[in-house]
Amino acid sequence: MRIPTDQFAAARRSFLRVALLGSAAALSACSLTGPGPGPREDAGAPNPNSAPATGSETLGNGPVKVALVLPLTQGSGASVVGVSMRNAAELAISEAGANDITLLVRDDRSTPGGAREATQTAISQGAELILGPLFAGDVRAAAEVAKGAGKPVIAFSTDLSTASRGVYLLSFLVENYVDRIVEFAASKGKKSIAVLAPENDYANVATGALQQAAARRDIRVALIERYKAGGVAASAANIGALGAQIDCLFIPEQAAAMPEVARALTASKIDPRAVQILGTGLWNDARVLGLPALQGAWFATPENAGFAAFAQRYRAKFGSDPTRVATLAYDSVSLAAALARTQGPRRFSEEVLTNPTGFNGADGVFRFKPDGSNERGLAVVQINNGTTTVISPAPRTL
């Protein structure tokens, strides 16, 4: 680990001061772990408890202008995710950054055309850095404009193909989840793994990442079973037939589908005491945690305490619960304000943004890589009696 300079140390201290308190129970109503990696994630229905979305808004009064491009609207109504992220940005400004940056909040209308227009407008108004958008297609459109103007982007999509030099992803990447859980499994002596995965974009990415992570750690991939809707039982039976040939099973499935998967595991006599079940951060959901077939399973996730503290402050200010990805807006705005305060003219340069020491946010430590991807400090948790227990804490430094 490279020791940070005094300036970087100051930036990290001032970036985010979150008391790590609360518990996993505080998150039970806010289980969205992050939008999927496809081209268009669901932004949700209107939320009557959220502030109304506006197409153009300014927060803060600092000398450095930063744009925040969000899907505040989708179709004819407000977007739960977009409005929650906008509220999180206001919380960040009120806590730390009102005198450091002027935040230009712009609605991309959940479309690439809207993202392109919002980015062009913000840059013409002096924005030095673009935060957002959320959806993959919108990130590509905004990045094209920003790159043409020489402005960096910190975006929120989980589609790694949207990342590039100067376009950094702050999102929860499935590749990080997979690498962390495979690393932990290898450290516990696991040697042979099978994969039970649906045929969708998320599982495609997760399965590819699993194969690479397993190869790096000398874990044999014994079988990869892919299934279409309604076909999980047959695929689980094929894995069950492996018996003692495997000591762990990776299942990159969404929370809503896991009850059906769990029934298939039981029917196939896959004993979780003999075969360690592994998943991703999508399992941080009450629909998964209570399943008998998943008790004892492991998955990687950001530690819950930081989000719990953030959510408590959010509820106090807005009277409603934040969506799980609201921390992306909070952290990006907090980071922009801290860098504007401490880094002078080089504040949003590639050298500063890709500092290998990284930064500390509501979801723990993270850093941007020069190719635009990110690394996050993730915990490994075990499902026990309908809740989770941390069995490998998230690192505090990278």
Side-chain angles (χ1 to χ4, degrees), residues 30-398:
C30 307
S31 56
L32 178 64
T33 302
R40 176 63 49 182
E41 299 92 340
D42 180 19
N47 182 348
N49 294 323
S50 297
T54 60
S56 179
E57 182 181 13
T58 299
L59 300 173
N61 55 11
V64 177
K65 291 184 178 180
V66 173
L68 178 62
V69 179
L70 294 174
L72 297 174
T73 57
Q74 184 179 42
S76 60
S79 157
V80 168
V81 171
V83 173
S84 183
M85 295 180 82
R86 175 261 170 224
N87 290 349
E90 181 182 341
L91 181 63
I93 287 287
S94 67
E95 289 182 349
N99 297 322
D100 300 306
I101 61 173
T102 294
L103 191 66
L104 310 176
V105 183
R106 300 293 179 263
D107 181 17
D108 64 22
R109 305 189 301 277
S110 303
T111 66
R116 185 176 296 107
E117 178 185 333
T119 304
Q120 287 173 333
T121 300
I123 290 174
S124 72
Q125 294 170 338
E128 300 180 24
L129 171 68
I130 309 300
L131 308 178
L134 173 63
F135 301 141
D138 305 345
V139 172
R140 293 188 181 96
E144 183 179 0
V145 174
K147 282 190 169 185
K151 307 299 180 184
V153 176
I154 297 176
F156 309 135
S157 172
T158 58
D159 185 342
L160 190 57
S161 71
T162 63
S164 62
R165 188 168 183 173
V167 181
Y168 308 100
L169 299 183
L170 184 57
S171 45
F172 306 111
L173 299 177
V174 64
E175 293 86 350
N176 287 343
Y177 288 140
V178 173
D179 194 67
R180 178 70 166 104
I181 196 62
V182 172
E183 174 190 49
F184 182 74
S187 76
K188 295 302 180 181
K190 303 304 179 184
K191 296 295 185 182
S192 182
I193 191 169
V195 179
L196 179 62
E199 293 188 2
N200 60 34
D201 289 341
Y202 184 90
N204 290 344
V205 174
T207 299
L210 181 282
Q211 290 174 287
Q212 295 179 27
R216 286 193 297 270
R217 294 169 177 88
D218 199 29
I219 294 178
R220 182 175 72 95
V221 180
L223 179 64
I224 296 176
E225 278 286 332
R226 305 297 301 272
Y227 57 88
K228 298 182 185 294
V232 67
S235 290
N238 290 338
I239 290 176
L242 294 174
Q245 296 179 54
I246 60 171
D247 54 24
C248 51
L249 171 61
F250 176 61
I251 309 175
E253 181 59 279
Q254 310 283 326
M258 283 306 297
E260 182 183 4
V261 173
R263 289 191 293 271
L265 296 178
T266 301
S268 301
K269 296 182 170 53
I270 297 173
D271 185 352
R273 294 168 298 183
V275 177
Q276 181 61 55
I277 309 297
L278 309 176
T280 76
L282 295 181
W283 287 9
N284 198 5
D285 188 296
R287 292 171 292 182
V288 177
L289 303 183
L291 295 171
L294 273 294
Q295 301 308 301
W298 300 340
F299 64 91
T301 184
E303 287 191 356
N304 285 335
F307 179 81
F310 159 79
Q312 183 180 44
R313 301 195 310 280
Y314 183 104
R315 284 191 293 269
K317 186 172 181 65
F318 298 106
S320 60
D321 287 325
T323 60
R324 187 60 183 84
V325 293
T327 52
L328 301 181
Y330 181 86
D331 283 356
S332 65
V333 172
S334 299
L335 175 60
L339 296 180
R341 182 165 58 248
T342 63
Q343 298 300 305
R346 60 200 284 272
R347 48 190 166 255
F348 305 136
S349 66
E350 180 177 10
E351 176 191 7
V352 170
L353 291 175
T354 61
N355 169 38
T357 303
F359 308 97
N360 190 38
D363 290 303
V365 65
F366 67 90
R367 65 183 169 197
F368 299 119
K369 298 168 71 173
D371 65 1
S373 63
N374 71 53
E375 293 181 51
R376 283 186 172 273
L378 299 174
V380 175
V381 300
Q382 183 174 49
I383 300 175
N384 290 312
N385 299 318
T387 186
T388 59
T389 302
V390 175
I391 56 176
S392 180
R396 301 305 178 203
T397 60
L398 293 172

